[in-house]
Amino acid sequence: MKLIKLDAIDSTNDFLKVLAGSQNLENFTVVTAESQTKGKGQMGEIWVSETGKNLTMSVLIRDSVFEIHQIYNLNIAVSLSVLLALEKFKIPKLAIKWPNDIMSDSKKIAGILIENSIKTDGKIVSIIGIGVNVNQVNFFELPKASSLALIMNTSFDKEAVLFEIIKNIKRNHSKLQNNESLDLWKDYNSKLFKKGIPMPFESEKKGKFMGIIQDVTDNGKLQILLEDDSIEVFDIKAIQMLY
């Protein structure tokens, strides 16, 4: 694993994409930064992180999936990799808030952004952005955010967290290559945040409504059981959980 450490950058994902376009980087090349000025979250949102306190990283991954319809398998593999790494550090009540926020109880402690590109030979190359709130303790305008330090009342070695995540990503990457994605899907669905619990939701189409999370479909859509016992599926960002 090649590790590139930066003091400050606009976006580790963007930096790694440019680097991968100009060099033949080895698989699982990692870029970290102490500060990001334009850290990215899902659907164009900004990932805010206090300088030097958190783990902000991007990982180059090749040959994890070979068909475009398998893309969500990588999301599952990475989400589980982060969750299992945090379990190693005894973080309690971990869950995956669809599609890939990592929660401890009802607080978000990590987020993932996956950017895929299809090369001219048909191969899929992915840049995985991962942000973990490690030692930051102030989240003034983010009431649903927390960190490992706040939860455990102690500071953590960011690099130890990084290496644990990469170890798990490599293991789950091997499972994808060996057609063992069904095991990953089972684990992912079992760890879904608020699964099986009646919850309020809101969507542009339906307004506010009650529902129960059932599972995630193989193309990454959320299945929700509605009050009339029908099941409806929702795309990412087409629905919001009101928790």
Side-chain angles (χ1 to χ4, degrees), residues 113-138:
L113 174 66
I114 300 177
E115 298 182 284
N116 302 295
S117 61
I118 302 175
K119 302 304 180 182
T120 53
D121 59 3
K123 291 185 177 180
I124 298 171
V125 176
S126 304
I127 304 293
I128 315 296
I130 301 172
V132 182
N133 295 332
V134 180
N135 292 320
Q136 184 171 335
V137 295
N138 295 313

mmCIF file of all heavy atoms in Angstrom, residues 113-138:
data_model
loop_
_atom_site.group_PDB
_atom_site.id
_atom_site.type_symbol
_atom_site.label_atom_id
_atom_site.label_comp_id
_atom_site.label_asym_id
_atom_site.label_seq_id
_atom_site.Cartn_x
_atom_site.Cartn_y
_atom_site.Cartn_z
ATOM 1 N N LEU A 113 -17.697 8.601 0.155
ATOM 2 C CA LEU A 113 -18.058 9.055 -1.186
ATOM 3 C C LEU A 113 -17.277 8.222 -2.187
ATOM 4 O O LEU A 113 -16.045 8.207 -2.169
ATOM 5 C CB LEU A 113 -17.739 10.541 -1.378
ATOM 6 C CG LEU A 113 -17.956 11.078 -2.793
ATOM 7 C CD1 LEU A 113 -19.434 11.056 -3.165
ATOM 8 C CD2 LEU A 113 -17.381 12.481 -2.948
ATOM 9 N N ILE A 114 -18.003 7.527 -3.074
ATOM 10 C CA ILE A 114 -17.372 6.674 -4.082
ATOM 11 C C ILE A 114 -17.584 7.291 -5.458
ATOM 12 O O ILE A 114 -18.712 7.580 -5.852
ATOM 13 C CB ILE A 114 -17.955 5.244 -4.044
ATOM 14 C CG1 ILE A 114 -17.714 4.618 -2.664
ATOM 15 C CG2 ILE A 114 -17.326 4.379 -5.130
ATOM 16 C CD1 ILE A 114 -18.302 3.230 -2.498
ATOM 17 N N GLU A 115 -16.484 7.515 -6.162
ATOM 18 C CA GLU A 115 -16.537 8.055 -7.516
ATOM 19 C C GLU A 115 -15.934 7.030 -8.470
ATOM 20 O O GLU A 115 -14.756 6.668 -8.345
ATOM 21 C CB GLU A 115 -15.790 9.382 -7.583
ATOM 22 C CG GLU A 115 -16.420 10.452 -6.674
ATOM 23 C CD GLU A 115 -15.720 11.790 -6.767
ATOM 24 O OE1 GLU A 115 -14.627 11.914 -6.187
ATOM 25 O OE2 GLU A 115 -16.263 12.694 -7.418
ATOM 26 N N ASN A 116 -16.753 6.543 -9.401
ATOM 27 C CA ASN A 116 -16.342 5.490 -10.328
ATOM 28 C C ASN A 116 -16.125 6.052 -11.721
ATOM 29 O O ASN A 116 -16.829 6.966 -12.151
ATOM 30 C CB ASN A 116 -17.414 4.398 -10.400
ATOM 31 C CG ASN A 116 -17.716 3.784 -9.056
ATOM 32 O OD1 ASN A 116 -16.869 3.138 -8.454
ATOM 33 N ND2 ASN A 116 -18.941 3.982 -8.560
ATOM 34 N N SER A 117 -15.160 5.484 -12.425
ATOM 35 C CA SER A 117 -14.961 5.824 -13.833
ATOM 36 C C SER A 117 -14.733 4.545 -14.623
ATOM 37 O O SER A 117 -14.087 3.605 -14.134
ATOM 38 C CB SER A 117 -13.775 6.777 -14.009
ATOM 39 O OG SER A 117 -12.572 6.191 -13.546
ATOM 40 N N ILE A 118 -15.300 4.508 -15.825
ATOM 41 C CA ILE A 118 -15.154 3.350 -16.703
ATOM 42 C C ILE A 118 -14.110 3.683 -17.767
ATOM 43 O O ILE A 118 -14.263 4.646 -18.516
ATOM 44 C CB ILE A 118 -16.493 2.977 -17.362
ATOM 45 C CG1 ILE A 118 -17.547 2.692 -16.278
ATOM 46 C CG2 ILE A 118 -16.323 1.747 -18.256
ATOM 47 C CD1 ILE A 118 -18.924 2.423 -16.826
ATOM 48 N N LYS A 119 -13.055 2.896 -17.835
ATOM 49 C CA LYS A 119 -11.973 3.138 -18.772
ATOM 50 C C LYS A 119 -12.331 2.613 -20.159
ATOM 51 O O LYS A 119 -13.319 1.899 -20.345
ATOM 52 C CB LYS A 119 -10.677 2.484 -18.258
ATOM 53 C CG LYS A 119 -10.257 2.980 -16.874
ATOM 54 C CD LYS A 119 -10.107 4.496 -16.840
ATOM 55 C CE LYS A 119 -9.699 5.012 -15.471
ATOM 56 N NZ LYS A 119 -9.598 6.477 -15.420
ATOM 57 N N THR A 120 -11.500 2.961 -21.138
ATOM 58 C CA THR A 120 -11.785 2.565 -22.522
ATOM 59 C C THR A 120 -11.772 1.047 -22.708
ATOM 60 O O THR A 120 -12.428 0.526 -23.613
ATOM 61 C CB THR A 120 -10.747 3.191 -23.475
ATOM 62 O OG1 THR A 120 -9.424 2.865 -23.022
ATOM 63 C CG2 THR A 120 -10.901 4.710 -23.507
ATOM 64 N N ASP A 121 -11.050 0.344 -21.836
ATOM 65 C CA ASP A 121 -11.035 -1.123 -21.925
ATOM 66 C C ASP A 121 -12.182 -1.758 -21.150
ATOM 67 O O ASP A 121 -12.258 -2.984 -21.039
ATOM 68 C CB ASP A 121 -9.699 -1.684 -21.426
ATOM 69 C CG ASP A 121 -9.395 -1.302 -19.972
ATOM 70 O OD1 ASP A 121 -10.247 -0.651 -19.335
ATOM 71 O OD2 ASP A 121 -8.300 -1.644 -19.478
ATOM 72 N N GLY A 122 -13.073 -0.917 -20.600
ATOM 73 C CA GLY A 122 -14.236 -1.426 -19.878
ATOM 74 C C GLY A 122 -14.003 -1.652 -18.398
ATOM 75 O O GLY A 122 -14.955 -1.931 -17.660
ATOM 76 N N LYS A 123 -12.770 -1.509 -17.941
ATOM 77 C CA LYS A 123 -12.483 -1.712 -16.523
ATOM 78 C C LYS A 123 -12.982 -0.530 -15.694
ATOM 79 O O LYS A 123 -12.986 0.606 -16.150
ATOM 80 C CB LYS A 123 -10.985 -1.917 -16.307
ATOM 81 C CG LYS A 123 -10.472 -3.233 -16.865
ATOM 82 C CD LYS A 123 -9.007 -3.448 -16.529
ATOM 83 C CE LYS A 123 -8.525 -4.799 -17.029
ATOM 84 N NZ LYS A 123 -7.081 -5.030 -16.715
ATOM 85 N N ILE A 124 -13.416 -0.826 -14.475
ATOM 86 C CA ILE A 124 -13.953 0.187 -13.572
ATOM 87 C C ILE A 124 -12.902 0.532 -12.519
ATOM 88 O O ILE A 124 -12.373 -0.351 -11.842
ATOM 89 C CB ILE A 124 -15.247 -0.311 -12.902
ATOM 90 C CG1 ILE A 124 -16.318 -0.576 -13.961
ATOM 91 C CG2 ILE A 124 -15.757 0.711 -11.881
ATOM 92 C CD1 ILE A 124 -17.557 -1.273 -13.430
ATOM 93 N N VAL A 125 -12.590 1.822 -12.422
ATOM 94 C CA VAL A 125 -11.643 2.311 -11.411
ATOM 95 C C VAL A 125 -12.416 3.206 -10.448
ATOM 96 O O VAL A 125 -13.202 4.054 -10.878
ATOM 97 C CB VAL A 125 -10.483 3.089 -12.055
ATOM 98 C CG1 VAL A 125 -9.567 3.670 -10.989
ATOM 99 C CG2 VAL A 125 -9.696 2.184 -12.998
ATOM 100 N N SER A 126 -12.195 3.012 -9.170
ATOM 101 C CA SER A 126 -12.958 3.737 -8.154
ATOM 102 C C SER A 126 -12.028 4.525 -7.235
ATOM 103 O O SER A 126 -10.962 4.038 -6.846
ATOM 104 C CB SER A 126 -13.787 2.764 -7.309
ATOM 105 O OG SER A 126 -14.634 1.980 -8.137
ATOM 106 N N ILE A 127 -12.454 5.729 -6.929
ATOM 107 C CA ILE A 127 -11.799 6.545 -5.909
ATOM 108 C C ILE A 127 -12.749 6.605 -4.714
ATOM 109 O O ILE A 127 -13.879 7.065 -4.836
ATOM 110 C CB ILE A 127 -11.504 7.972 -6.404
ATOM 111 C CG1 ILE A 127 -10.661 7.951 -7.677
ATOM 112 C CG2 ILE A 127 -10.826 8.782 -5.295
ATOM 113 C CD1 ILE A 127 -9.251 7.437 -7.504
ATOM 114 N N ILE A 128 -12.279 6.114 -3.578
ATOM 115 C CA ILE A 128 -13.103 6.016 -2.382
ATOM 116 C C ILE A 128 -12.689 7.098 -1.398
ATOM 117 O O ILE A 128 -11.585 7.058 -0.847
ATOM 118 C CB ILE A 128 -12.949 4.635 -1.699
ATOM 119 C CG1 ILE A 128 -13.003 3.504 -2.716
ATOM 120 C CG2 ILE A 128 -13.987 4.473 -0.594
ATOM 121 C CD1 ILE A 128 -14.304 3.354 -3.431
ATOM 122 N N GLY A 129 -13.554 8.071 -1.185
ATOM 123 C CA GLY A 129 -13.300 9.081 -0.175
ATOM 124 C C GLY A 129 -13.930 8.673 1.153
ATOM 125 O O GLY A 129 -15.098 8.297 1.194
ATOM 126 N N ILE A 130 -13.144 8.698 2.204
ATOM 127 C CA ILE A 130 -13.623 8.311 3.534
ATOM 128 C C ILE A 130 -13.263 9.402 4.533
ATOM 129 O O ILE A 130 -12.103 9.827 4.609
ATOM 130 C CB ILE A 130 -13.009 6.973 3.996
ATOM 131 C CG1 ILE A 130 -13.357 5.845 3.009
ATOM 132 C CG2 ILE A 130 -13.486 6.608 5.413
ATOM 133 C CD1 ILE A 130 -12.627 4.542 3.290
ATOM 134 N N GLY A 131 -14.242 9.858 5.268
ATOM 135 C CA GLY A 131 -14.007 10.801 6.345
ATOM 136 C C GLY A 131 -14.472 10.206 7.656
ATOM 137 O O GLY A 131 -15.612 9.740 7.759
ATOM 138 N N VAL A 132 -13.603 10.173 8.640
ATOM 139 C CA VAL A 132 -13.955 9.659 9.967
ATOM 140 C C VAL A 132 -13.688 10.753 10.997
ATOM 141 O O VAL A 132 -12.569 11.288 11.067
ATOM 142 C CB VAL A 132 -13.141 8.400 10.341
ATOM 143 C CG1 VAL A 132 -13.579 7.870 11.704
ATOM 144 C CG2 VAL A 132 -13.284 7.317 9.274
ATOM 145 N N ASN A 133 -14.697 11.102 11.775
ATOM 146 C CA ASN A 133 -14.520 12.052 12.871
ATOM 147 C C ASN A 133 -13.799 11.338 14.017
ATOM 148 O O ASN A 133 -14.396 10.506 14.695
ATOM 149 C CB ASN A 133 -15.869 12.584 13.348
ATOM 150 C CG ASN A 133 -16.582 13.405 12.300
ATOM 151 O OD1 ASN A 133 -15.957 14.021 11.446
ATOM 152 N ND2 ASN A 133 -17.909 13.408 12.341
ATOM 153 N N VAL A 134 -12.546 11.671 14.188
ATOM 154 C CA VAL A 134 -11.724 10.937 15.155
ATOM 155 C C VAL A 134 -11.560 11.716 16.458
ATOM 156 O O VAL A 134 -12.076 11.322 17.507
ATOM 157 C CB VAL A 134 -10.341 10.596 14.549
ATOM 158 C CG1 VAL A 134 -9.496 9.820 15.579
ATOM 159 C CG2 VAL A 134 -10.501 9.761 13.284
ATOM 160 N N ASN A 135 -10.855 12.849 16.409
ATOM 161 C CA ASN A 135 -10.538 13.584 17.640
ATOM 162 C C ASN A 135 -11.198 14.952 17.736
ATOM 163 O O ASN A 135 -10.937 15.696 18.688
ATOM 164 C CB ASN A 135 -9.013 13.731 17.767
ATOM 165 C CG ASN A 135 -8.338 12.392 18.011
ATOM 166 O OD1 ASN A 135 -8.830 11.556 18.759
ATOM 167 N ND2 ASN A 135 -7.199 12.172 17.358
ATOM 168 N N GLN A 136 -12.043 15.295 16.801
ATOM 169 C CA GLN A 136 -12.778 16.561 16.894
ATOM 170 C C GLN A 136 -13.849 16.454 17.974
ATOM 171 O O GLN A 136 -14.537 15.440 18.075
ATOM 172 C CB GLN A 136 -13.423 16.885 15.537
ATOM 173 C CG GLN A 136 -14.127 18.227 15.498
ATOM 174 C CD GLN A 136 -14.555 18.600 14.080
ATOM 175 O OE1 GLN A 136 -13.971 18.134 13.109
ATOM 176 N NE2 GLN A 136 -15.565 19.454 13.962
ATOM 177 N N VAL A 137 -13.993 17.488 18.774
ATOM 178 C CA VAL A 137 -14.964 17.416 19.878
ATOM 179 C C VAL A 137 -16.024 18.506 19.800
ATOM 180 O O VAL A 137 -16.989 18.488 20.568
ATOM 181 C CB VAL A 137 -14.259 17.472 21.256
ATOM 182 C CG1 VAL A 137 -13.394 16.234 21.453
ATOM 183 C CG2 VAL A 137 -13.444 18.739 21.404
ATOM 184 N N ASN A 138 -15.868 19.460 18.897
ATOM 185 C CA ASN A 138 -16.866 20.518 18.740
ATOM 186 C C ASN A 138 -17.547 20.411 17.384
ATOM 187 O O ASN A 138 -16.886 20.447 16.345
ATOM 188 C CB ASN A 138 -16.214 21.905 18.879
ATOM 189 C CG ASN A 138 -15.670 22.143 20.273
ATOM 190 O OD1 ASN A 138 -16.350 21.892 21.258
ATOM 191 N ND2 ASN A 138 -14.432 22.622 20.357
#
